[in-house]
Amino acid sequence: MSINWEEVEKNAGSQYKNYAKPDVYKVKCVDVDIHEVGTNGSVVQEFIFEEDDNYQYPKATHWLSFKNDSWRQWHNRCLMIMFGSSADTAEKAIDKIEALGDKEKIMKGYETAYKALLKRKPEVEIEVFPDGKYSRAEFTDDRVAMPHDDAKPATTDMDEVVPEDIDDSEEIDLSELPF
């Protein structure tokens, strides 16, 4: 069997864009995913951005803290306002969500509220920055921006990325493949 590489490229190869390089971008926020992570019950809100003609963007991660109710309520109010909600509407929505009382219901309430708000695809400004060998995104709005000074710079030394024993001039010997 021979693979039709033109067909493969058309169907898959050109669908994936590079992640944006470190910089500040205006993007449309289009979705949120709120879920527990780890084993201690921490809840993350991952805000997802629309790809543009050039890039896809890493998610912006914000915490839905159940250790500090006031911070959770204030921070989500500020996020909703940044996404275009009025302060009054954000406060009313958060009052209803918080009245649900149960952690799972509160998580679902915030997710439902954000999904409704993000249907309008509000434009926000984000900063993409390196974090180890990956990158992350953060809102630039001072009301909601989470600090990221401790992010590790991305590896730039190509000797660390590509093993030295690879000879680019050699052809792949298909008989050496384990399958």
Side-chain angles (χ1 to χ4, degrees), residues 125-161:
E125 187 177 82
I126 61 169
E127 177 186 4
V128 174
F129 60 95
D131 185 22
K133 58 183 177 178
Y134 300 103
S135 61
R136 293 191 312 165
E138 183 52 70
F139 301 109
T140 60
D141 188 312
D142 289 339
R143 296 172 293 183
V144 299
M146 304 296 278
H148 57 269
D149 295 338
D150 60 337
K152 302 170 220 78
T155 302
T156 56
D157 184 359
M158 289 309 291
D159 290 337
E160 293 179 29
V161 177

Side-chain angles (χ1 to χ4, degrees), residues 57-146:
Y57 298 91
K59 298 175 234 178
T61 300
H62 283 242
W63 297 97
L64 192 62
S65 173
F66 284 87
K67 294 179 181 174
N68 185 335
D69 294 343
S70 293
W71 183 85
R72 176 181 68 242
Q73 295 157 2
W74 180 257
H75 189 68
N76 281 283
R77 177 188 181 271
C78 292
L79 283 166
M80 289 179 183
I81 291 170
M82 180 189 67
F83 289 133
S85 175
S86 70
D88 187 52
T89 301
E91 290 167 5
K92 287 177 182 174
I94 292 169
D95 284 343
K96 286 183 178 185
I97 293 166
E98 294 289 334
L100 298 171
D102 174 74
K103 179 180 176 181
E104 294 297 320
K105 290 178 183 175
I106 290 173
M107 288 169 55
K108 187 66 176 163
Y110 277 110
E111 188 168 48
T112 301
Y114 280 118
K115 284 186 180 289
L117 191 55
L118 297 176
K119 281 183 181 177
R120 296 182 289 194
K121 298 182 180 184
E123 186 175 73
V124 293
E125 187 177 82
I126 61 169
E127 177 186 4
V128 174
F129 60 95
D131 185 22
K133 58 183 177 178
Y134 300 103
S135 61
R136 293 191 312 165
E138 183 52 70
F139 301 109
T140 60
D141 188 312
D142 289 339
R143 296 172 293 183
V144 299
M146 304 296 278

Side-chain angles (χ1 to χ4, degrees), residues 5 7 10 29 32 50 58 72 87-89 100 107 109 128 147 153 173:
W5 287 106
E7 188 70 21
K10 186 177 91 181
C29 191
V32 66
E50 183 175 70
R72 176 181 68 242
D88 187 52
T89 301
L100 298 171
M107 288 169 55
V128 174
D173 183 353

